Amino acid sequence: MKPHGRLILFTFLHGILLLCMNAPLESATLPSCNTFGNETDRLALLDLKKRITQDPLHVMSSWNDSLHFCNLVGVTCNRCTKRVVILKLTAQKLAGSLRKSIGNLSHLTGIDLVSNSFAGEIPQEIGRLGSLRSLNLSRNSFGGKIPSNISHCAQLRVLRLVSNELMDPFRTNSVHW
C-alpha cells in the first residue's frame, strides 16, 4: 500500500474509532440506566420528612419536589436504577420519629442516623429491608423493643443501637443501650 493510501486508511479508521467512543453506551450486554427513578422511594422520603419535628440546620428544606430525590441531602441512590441505597443524616440535630414507610425503601443497604434526637419505636418495617447491611441508630432516643423481624435483614452486618432507651429483650424493663 502506498503512503497516501495508508494515510487515508488511518484517517478513516481514526474517524470510526472517534465515532464509536462518542456513541452512547447502550447495548444488549450493558444495562441501560433508568433516568426516572422510583415513585415509591420519593413518597417514602417525603413521608419520613413529615415526621421530622425539629430541623435547626434546615437539612430537610431540600426535601421537596423541586429536586430529584437522589439529590436530597443525606440520600445516596444507585447511579443506574435511581433507587435509594443509603440514608445518612448523621449529627444533623434532627428530632422526630421513623415512619413505617421506611420499609418501602426496599433497596436500602445503609441507614445512618447517628447523633440526632429521633424518638419513638424503631418500626417493624425495618425487617422488610432485605438488602440492608448497616443500621446505625446510635445516640438517639429510640424506645420500645428492637423489632423482632430484624432477623429478616439477611444481609445485616452492622447493627449499632447504643445510647438509646430500648427495652432489654430478655427483661420487661428499659435499659440505656
Side-chain angles (χ1 to χ4, degrees):
M1 187 178 273
K2 295 184 178 185
H4 180 68
R6 286 187 188 153
L7 181 61
I8 292 173
L9 181 60
F10 175 77
T11 304
F12 175 75
L13 291 175
H14 185 257
I16 296 284
L17 182 62
L18 286 175
L19 281 173
C20 289
M21 288 175 58
N22 290 325
L25 291 175
E26 291 184 25
S27 72
T29 59
L30 294 176
S32 62
C33 292
N34 175 2
T35 57
F36 299 108
N38 184 284
E39 184 69 3
T40 303
D41 287 4
R42 184 183 75 81
L43 293 174
L45 291 170
L46 292 177
D47 195 39
L48 178 65
K49 178 185 177 180
K50 288 179 189 176
R51 293 299 273 215
I52 303 298
T53 57
Q54 292 179 3
D55 180 14
L57 301 178
H58 306 289
V59 174
M60 305 310 277
S61 64
S62 74
W63 285 45
N64 56 51
D65 285 327
S66 65
L67 290 175
H68 188 277
F69 63 84
C70 290
N71 296 321
L72 301 178
V73 173
V75 174
T76 302
C77 291
N78 177 290
R79 189 177 61 81
C80 282
T81 64
K82 301 293 187 222
R83 298 297 303 264
V84 178
V85 292
I86 297 174
L87 182 60
K88 183 177 174 120
L89 294 166
T90 306
Q92 297 297 321
K93 299 184 179 181
L94 298 171
S97 60
L98 286 183
R99 299 196 50 118
K100 293 177 180 184
S101 58
I102 191 114
N104 293 337
L105 296 170
S106 58
H107 286 74
L108 273 177
T109 60
I111 301 174
D112 186 343
L113 302 178
V114 175
S115 297
N116 284 290
S117 295
F118 285 98
E121 292 191 1
I122 300 169
Q124 285 285 331
E125 287 72 13
I126 289 277
R128 294 195 329 223
L129 302 175
S131 299
L132 193 64
R133 291 191 298 249
S134 175
L135 176 61
N136 193 344
L137 304 178
S138 298
R139 288 185 250 132
N140 279 285
S141 296
F142 286 106
K145 296 180 181 178
I146 297 170
S148 59
N149 66 353
I150 203 161
S151 61
H152 294 153
C153 300
Q155 302 297 317
L156 193 62
R157 299 293 178 258
V158 176
L159 176 62
R160 294 194 177 117
L161 302 172
V162 298
S163 297
N164 280 289
E165 298 296 327
L166 297 165
M167 291 182 73
D168 184 335
F170 303 106
R171 299 184 194 169
T172 57
N173 59 336
S174 92
V175 292
H176 192 71
W177 280 64

